[in-house]
Amino acid sequence: NPRAWCSPCRRNCGCGWSAEPARRHRIANGIAMSECCGCGKVVDVAALQAKQRRVLTWVLAINLATFAMMAFAAWRSHSSSLLAGSLDNLGDALTYAISLAVVGASMRAKAKVAFFKGLLILGAAVAVGVQIAWRLANPAVPLFEGMGIAAALNLAANGACLWLLMPYRSGDVNMASAWECSRNDIAEGCAVLLAAALVGLFGAGWPDLLVAAALLVMFLRSSARVLRAAWRELQAQRVAQTGSAR
């Protein structure tokens, strides 16, 4: 199996521990090694990629299940914040499916996929904005009991996903963007729980719309972060390719 050396600076071929994976490697005795290595620690790349695939498969399944649950609860409860959460889970499921497809691919391919993930998050933000506008034109008081139960189940599921992805939060752009999506889910789950409590307390629909608007802002900021990171990686790969061509 191919192996890659881990470095003290942790710029190590995107093994899941680095904020800025090494972009160049050399081959010695059939072993792929990062140029910035020095600590002598060895990582089995094939085993690492298999582990990444298992983790992404789990979080993909969890997000598909929570999307179905949240969408049904949003429809029954007439909740904009629950709808925002369900769209977020659907986007995450697509993100994890794409991430799963490019495990072991080139950094350029991963950066392109991460850029597409950023566009998916942006699309979710647009959908939430449309829903908020529709609710403002057609006001209704959501059922806070249904909101609370669905939000609690969703938060528990998202906590499990974040825990599974935690080792890869500073990894290559593919896994790091997957962790970014999962972190958003935790904030979203807490916000929807708060919305349910406030709807029950005040007997009005404005807390639901307020939280949905906050989630809209969060999606926009997250999309900007992912798109910027992906664009930087694409530019770096382009520069590296130009240098190697020379």
Side-chain angles (χ1 to χ4, degrees):
N1 290 334
R3 294 175 180 269
W5 286 92
C6 226
S7 72
C9 60
R10 293 189 171 183
R11 299 181 179 184
N12 59 349
C13 321
C15 73
W17 300 354
S18 63
E20 186 181 348
R23 297 187 178 93
R24 294 178 306 219
H25 304 83
R26 60 190 175 87
I27 303 298
N29 299 322
I31 298 175
M33 298 198 294
S34 166
E35 288 185 351
C36 63
C37 70
C39 68
K41 184 175 181 179
V42 176
V43 176
D44 189 325
V45 175
L48 174 68
Q49 291 174 355
K51 185 176 181 181
Q52 288 179 347
R53 290 189 180 94
R54 285 195 299 271
V55 168
L56 288 170
T57 299
W58 272 107
V59 295
L60 169 61
I62 291 171
N63 273 268
L64 284 175
T66 53
F67 160 69
M69 181 270 295
M70 291 279 282
F72 178 75
W75 173 68
R76 294 286 295 179
S77 301
H78 310 290
S79 169
S80 295
S81 58
L82 276 183
L83 179 63
S86 67
L87 289 175
D88 185 38
N89 287 337
L90 177 60
D92 288 346
L94 294 174
T95 291
Y96 299 139
I98 297 170
S99 297
L100 185 60
V102 296
V103 169
S106 68
M107 288 301 298
R108 183 171 179 80
K110 291 178 179 179
K112 288 181 178 179
V113 166
F115 195 86
F116 181 66
K117 293 175 191 176
L119 294 179
L120 284 177
I121 299 173
L122 182 61
V126 172
V128 171
V130 171
Q131 167 67 6
I132 291 173
W134 190 85
R135 279 297 176 195
L136 288 172
N138 301 272
V141 178
L143 301 175
F144 72 92
E145 299 92 345
M147 286 180 64
I149 293 171
L153 292 173
N154 183 54
L155 183 59
N158 289 334
C161 290
L162 187 67
W163 178 76
L164 287 169
L165 289 166
M166 188 69 74
Y168 310 100
R169 64 189 182 279
S170 298
D172 64 33
V173 68
N174 182 44
M175 296 301 292
S177 59
W179 180 81
E180 174 83 22
C181 292
S182 186
R183 185 179 65 171
N184 287 347
D185 290 344
I186 295 295
E188 167 251 308
C190 293
V192 176
L193 270 178
L194 177 63
L198 292 177
V199 168
L201 179 64
F202 293 103
W206 64 262
D208 181 53
L209 292 176
L210 185 63
V211 168
L215 291 175
L216 169 61
V217 173
M218 184 189 73
F219 291 161
L220 289 173
R221 293 183 63 184
S222 178
S223 174
R225 281 195 298 270
V226 173
L227 289 172
R228 278 197 302 268
W231 181 254
R232 284 196 299 266
E233 187 62 44
L234 284 170
Q235 292 298 103
Q237 291 299 314
R238 188 174 294 113
V239 170
Q241 285 184 348
T242 302
S244 62
R246 292 176 182 175

